[in-house]
Amino acid sequence: MAVITIDGVRLEVEDNANVLECALNNGIYIPHLCHHPDLPENGSCRMCIVEVEGREGVTTSCTLRAKDGMVISTKTEKVNKLRTLALELLLAGHPEDCSTCPKYGNCELQTLIQYIGANNGRMRTRTKGIKMEEGNPLLIHDMNRCVLCGRCVRACNNLRGVGVLQYTKKDMETYVGTLHGKLLKDEDCRFCTACAEVCPTGTIRDKLQLLTTNIKKEDALVPCRYTCPAHTEIPRYIRFVKEGDCDAAAAVIREKVPFPHTLGLICTQACAKECKRGEVSEAMSIREIKRYAAEHDTGKYWKGKGKQLPDTGKKVCVVGAGPAGLTAAYYLRKQGHDVTIKEELPTAGGMMSYGIPAYRLPREVVAEEVKVITDQGVKIETGVRVDKPVDLLKEYDAVLMTTGNHKGVRLPMEGKDLPGVHVNIEFLRKASLGEETGIGKHVIVLGGGNVAFDCARTAKRLGAEEIHLACLEARDVMTADDEEIEQAQEEGIFVHPAQTFERITGTDHVTGVDFMNVKAFYFDENRRAIIEKEEGSEHHIDGDTVIFATGQWADLSEECGLTLGKANSIVVDQKTLAASVDGVFAAGDVTYGTKSVIQAIASGRDAAVQIDLYLGGDGDITEKFAPEQTADPVLGKEEGFPYLTAVGKKVLPASERENNFNQFDFGICDSDICGETSRCLQCDLRLQIHPSRLWTEYSNEQKEVDA
């Protein structure tokens, strides 16, 4: 250890420690610009100069090493004069109008100007005239703002080991450019954006600026985690899979959701839609990586090792054994409550068992994951319908409604009640139960979402010879996944986007549907649908069966005793999920409309938190399963990395899948999974970089001392 004195303050520090860091860590502010705690020092900015007793001249405190007995002054007349001169020289080549800067209000250079009191009035200003580069994915390079602190170069070369940034000369100006003067994508950049994180002036910056959003920095920087409704630690489990540790990866997933395998098969991937990799080449195959982890999981880190609090004596009844209800029941049981689920259908799973076809989600997968929940002590009673949940309060301390939306909707159009007209949910449920569906050979599905394609592809597997699917939306805005649409077309299903449904024809039975082409389809300021039809475009498609796949309602009535809203949804307090009767809560699709399994799981988690609080618990359902992970900040250079595209999956051809309900998508194979996980930009590594420390963040007492 060494004892040093800075501005009269005696400090005990590690011998040979960085003096600037010693000062900052002890609340003593020394101006600095090129220094960053995660980067090697270069002492180029001269802002952190100090005088050391017994030494001539000044020295940069970032390169000064602590020695016992050292006496340091940071604010002498000489230091202040030289520091001001150094800053004014920097400002001479910096744009004057800071109000137009994207880092305005959060610029390290500006805070230095305020602290030191410098201005560029005494220096001859110059304009660099370097064209701003906006052609890179994710990043903007505006070298006119560069002050040559070198942080970005050190971050790229030393912190990340990628080495695509370097100092470059153009005419008489030195600036930071790429190794060969090309775009980052052509220099094998890893797009970790560490350069933007450490840049003090906005010279290198994110195209997405936080000032234009209402979200937290950590959410904006790791959009996959933020957009996942359950906020699963996606980069973390991708790294575990890359390392070959699927047990750890699955444990990460199970810290937030009890259905990793199910989600690995059918998740709608809100995360992938916002994946930054997609702006560079193609988004990560997040769902397939999750599936790979789940299918190779032995349960090493989570089986028998989760939370189970002592019994509280409180009883909860969950009505509906879909993803929201099962999730809520699972976590409520872990909190120590006695939980019973009442389910109308023969088995648990809700839409996972009776809406999503078995070729997409094998029933044994659902059964295995439901068993984890019953093994936790949750009781499930099947074949039980609950019409008046309020009555359950006589036996239970709290009731949670998670009945979903199991009532299909018939559009108010001519012919909707003809024999041969079916609704999505009833049709899919009958198919799942192996019951007679009553469809013919020529089927027309009305709707353009994933459920519509489930109906069309199920009809194909039940023997329909000709299937047409039509929807209002244009092809590029259809709500179904592109994969669903493409696979359906491979199976011979005719897809007709941008169509109005004029009428269902027939007298005693369906004979077809009349359509018109849609010229424009949009919503006005009152959210009313506006449809402009193409004149003279009337046409007819013959069919003996029509399936409405245009939405679902909750199968509830006013007799249930709860306040209902649009589409028979249960009205709840948005924060507590409490329904209109004390002790009754609701979650999942029955509260917000038909969405996704992952959304229902997230809603079930929220409900578990709120009900636990209601019953006197602390509402803390967090669990830790996976081992600690230390992510290596050094990425290294990889040739062609920006151009890597998603690896393919093993999918059976249409001829082998269209006549049966067997699983046909086998995901990413063992030999390809490492390549896919290696494409990840590891956006969360940026959160490991220490934030800049501005003088304005130090205590008022220290500011007065510095003044």
Side-chain angles (χ1 to χ4, degrees):
M1 298 297 289
V3 176
I4 64 174
T5 302
I6 302 178
D7 293 340
V9 179
R10 186 175 180 274
L11 302 177
E12 187 173 325
V13 300
E14 291 287 337
D15 187 53
N16 209 40
N18 179 308
V19 168
L20 175 57
E21 280 293 307
C22 292
L24 296 173
N25 291 337
N26 285 277
I28 301 172
Y29 180 72
I30 300 177
H32 58 278
L33 190 61
C34 65
H35 167 78
H36 190 283
D38 298 318
L39 305 175
E41 305 295 352
N42 66 3
S44 64
C45 73
R46 306 292 291 175
M47 294 297 110
C48 70
I49 55 173
V50 296
E51 285 193 277
V52 181
E53 190 176 281
R55 295 190 187 184
E56 288 188 13
V58 296
T59 186
T60 51
S61 59
C62 66
T63 58
L64 182 64
R65 297 296 165 180
K67 298 298 179 184
D68 193 51
M70 189 176 277
V71 178
I72 300 162
S73 298
T74 73
K75 298 184 291 293
T76 67
E77 183 179 350
K78 183 177 183 179
V79 165
N80 290 339
K81 183 177 179 179
L82 291 174
R83 189 178 284 155
T84 301
L85 177 61
L87 182 54
E88 288 175 345
L89 285 169
L90 285 180
L91 292 175
H94 192 74
E96 290 187 56
D97 187 7
C98 288
S99 63
T100 63
C101 177
K103 285 183 77 77
Y104 183 67
N106 191 35
C107 174
E108 291 180 61
L109 184 61
Q110 277 302 307
T111 59
L112 274 179
I113 295 170
Q114 295 165 14
Y115 181 84
I116 296 173
N119 65 73
N120 61 356
R122 296 192 302 158
M123 300 293 169
R124 182 178 177 181
T125 61
R126 68 186 193 277
T127 302
K128 296 176 183 176
I130 302 172
K131 183 181 177 182
M132 184 165 66
E133 181 56 75
E134 299 183 82
N136 292 306
L138 303 176
L139 295 169
I140 291 174
H141 283 205
D142 182 6
M143 290 303 153
N144 293 298
R145 302 183 183 279
C146 183
V147 292
L148 294 177
C149 67
R151 284 190 188 178
C152 57
V153 175
R154 286 173 284 155
C156 185
N157 288 268
N158 302 96
L159 181 62
R160 293 288 185 253
V162 179
V164 302
L165 296 181
Q166 66 172 6
Y167 296 106
T168 302
K169 269 201 169 185
K170 181 180 181 182
D171 299 326
M172 297 297 291
E173 287 290 349
T174 299
Y175 67 100
V176 174
T178 56
L179 204 58
H180 303 98
K182 301 176 183 178
L183 289 173
L184 291 172
K185 194 169 182 179
D186 297 318
E187 296 277 12
D188 297 329
C189 176
R190 297 297 295 266
F191 291 97
C192 66
T193 67
C195 53
E197 180 63 27
V198 300
C199 178
T201 65
T203 299
I204 300 179
R205 59 184 182 269
D206 301 296
K207 285 186 174 179
L208 175 65
Q209 289 293 299
L210 289 177
L211 290 175
T212 64
T213 70
N214 293 318
I215 58 180
K216 297 177 182 177
K217 178 181 177 179
E218 56 267 31
D219 295 333
L221 294 183
V222 192
C224 60
R225 182 177 63 193
Y226 173 63
T227 52
C228 170
H231 305 305
T232 313
E233 295 282 350
I234 293 169
R236 189 165 161 235
Y237 75 69
I238 288 179
R239 271 193 295 271
F240 273 131
V241 174
K242 180 183 176 183
E243 295 165 3
D245 194 346
C246 287
D247 281 324
V252 170
I253 300 165
R254 281 195 174 272
E255 288 175 356
K256 293 295 178 72
V257 299
F259 298 99
H261 197 176
T262 294
L263 291 170
L265 294 168
I266 54 86
C267 189
T268 51
Q269 295 195 99
C271 51
K273 293 179 177 68
E274 298 298 326
C275 175
K276 288 184 178 180
R277 204 359 155 159
E279 296 184 48
V280 179
S281 58
E282 283 186 81
M284 293 295 298
S285 303
I286 299 173
R287 178 177 62 202
E288 280 68 35
I289 295 171
K290 182 191 286 110
R291 171 182 177 174
Y292 188 90
E295 290 179 344
H296 291 78
D297 174 33
T298 67
K300 172 183 175 181
Y301 291 110
W302 62 270
K303 279 188 178 178
K305 300 176 183 179
K307 177 197 291 188
Q308 181 55 66
L309 299 182
D311 289 347
T312 63
K314 303 290 185 179
K315 297 175 64 178
V316 181
C317 182
V318 177
V319 182
L326 289 165
T327 299
Y330 178 63
Y331 289 110
L332 284 168
R333 178 64 201 123
K334 284 173 172 281
Q335 294 300 103
H337 308 305
D338 185 295
V339 186
T340 300
I341 301 177
K342 296 183 183 294
E343 168 58 50
E344 180 180 5
L345 293 167
T347 57
M351 287 298 181
M352 297 187 296
S353 297
Y354 296 99
I356 300 171
Y359 60 81
R360 287 181 57 203
L361 179 55
R363 300 304 179 239
E364 57 269 23
V365 171
V366 179
E368 287 171 3
E369 297 194 315
V370 169
K371 186 175 185 299
V372 173
I373 293 170
T374 55
D375 286 348
Q376 195 66 37
V378 173
K379 300 180 285 291
I380 301 178
E381 300 175 359
T382 57
V384 180
R385 180 178 173 86
V386 175
D387 290 314
K388 294 185 178 181
V390 176
D391 292 347
L392 294 170
L393 292 173
K394 299 172 184 176
E395 183 181 353
Y396 297 93
D397 298 289
V399 174
L400 174 64
M401 296 292 290
T402 57
T403 49
N405 290 335
H406 285 260
K407 187 175 182 180
V409 176
R410 294 174 186 250
L411 294 179
M413 59 185 290
E414 183 180 334
K416 66 181 178 66
D417 294 317
L418 281 170
V421 176
H422 304 257
V423 290
N424 47 9
I425 299 305
E426 293 175 14
F427 167 69
L428 291 172
R429 185 187 304 134
K430 288 179 179 179
S432 293
L433 290 168
E435 298 175 356
E436 177 58 48
T437 62
I439 66 167
K441 296 297 183 181
H442 302 277
V443 177
I444 302 170
V445 179
L446 304 180
N450 284 334
V451 175
F453 281 90
D454 285 344
C455 291
R457 298 177 73 183
T458 294
K460 182 74 174 180
R461 285 157 174 75
L462 291 175
E465 296 173 357
E466 184 176 300
I467 303 166
H468 295 264
L469 182 148
C471 63
L472 276 171
E473 296 84 3
R475 172 64 181 86
D476 60 337
V477 291
M478 287 176 65
T479 57
D481 296 341
D482 285 338
E483 184 179 65
E484 280 287 306
I485 300 171
E486 291 161 7
Q487 290 181 355
Q489 290 176 317
E490 290 171 0
E491 293 169 6
I493 294 166
F494 300 97
V495 179
H496 307 275
Q499 302 291 308
T500 65
F501 317 145
E502 295 297 307
R503 67 193 60 81
I504 299 173
T505 61
T507 304
D508 300 320
H509 197 276
V510 170
T511 59
V513 180
D514 289 340
F515 298 96
M516 287 186 72
N517 295 340
V518 174
K519 185 177 179 181
F521 172 43
Y522 57 93
F523 292 90
D524 66 12
E525 62 275 8
N526 297 313
R527 298 299 299 162
R528 291 178 300 190
I530 305 298
I531 303 170
E532 296 179 15
K533 303 176 185 180
E534 182 183 317
E535 292 186 16
S537 64
E538 297 89 348
H539 56 283
H540 178 83
I541 296 178
D542 290 330
D544 54 26
T545 303
V546 172
I547 301 175
F548 278 112
T550 51
Q552 295 110 254
W553 283 27
D555 188 13
L556 296 170
S557 68
E558 293 181 358
E559 283 69 38
C560 72
L562 303 174
T563 301
L564 302 182
K566 185 179 179 181
N568 289 345
S569 61
I570 298 175
V571 176
V572 296
D573 180 283
Q574 293 302 304
K575 181 180 179 181
T576 65
L577 299 184
S580 56
V581 174
D582 183 47
V584 179
F585 299 78
D589 287 3
V590 75
T591 64
Y592 50 64
T594 304
K595 289 191 177 178
S596 63
V597 171
I598 184 61
Q599 185 70 50
I601 290 170
S603 184
R605 283 180 59 90
D606 292 341
V609 169
Q610 296 303 323
I611 293 173
D612 185 53
L613 289 170
Y614 176 80
L615 296 176
D618 60 9
D620 181 9
I621 64 170
T622 59
E623 289 184 288
K624 181 71 174 174
F625 290 131
E628 290 298 324
Q629 181 186 75
T630 302
D632 188 354
V634 180
L635 298 173
K637 193 162 185 174
E638 181 178 338
E639 186 176 351
F641 176 81
Y643 288 95
L644 295 175
T645 55
V647 303
K649 302 185 296 179
K650 182 183 177 183
V651 178
L652 294 179
S655 60
E656 295 182 29
R657 68 181 190 241
E658 63 186 21
N659 60 356
N660 62 77
F661 285 88
N662 298 331
Q663 189 173 5
F664 64 83
D665 181 339
F666 298 97
I668 298 175
C669 66
D670 294 341
S671 59
D672 288 335
I673 193 65
C674 185
E676 180 59 26
T677 54
S678 297
R679 293 197 315 117
C680 182
L681 301 184
Q682 301 189 64
C683 301
D684 62 331
L685 288 183
R686 183 164 162 182
L687 300 178
Q688 295 181 2
I689 299 175
H690 288 86
S692 300
R693 291 166 291 186
L694 310 179
W695 75 272
T696 52
E697 297 172 10
Y698 284 76
S699 67
N700 290 328
E701 180 182 349
Q702 183 60 44
K703 290 178 193 174
E704 291 171 6
V705 171
D706 289 341

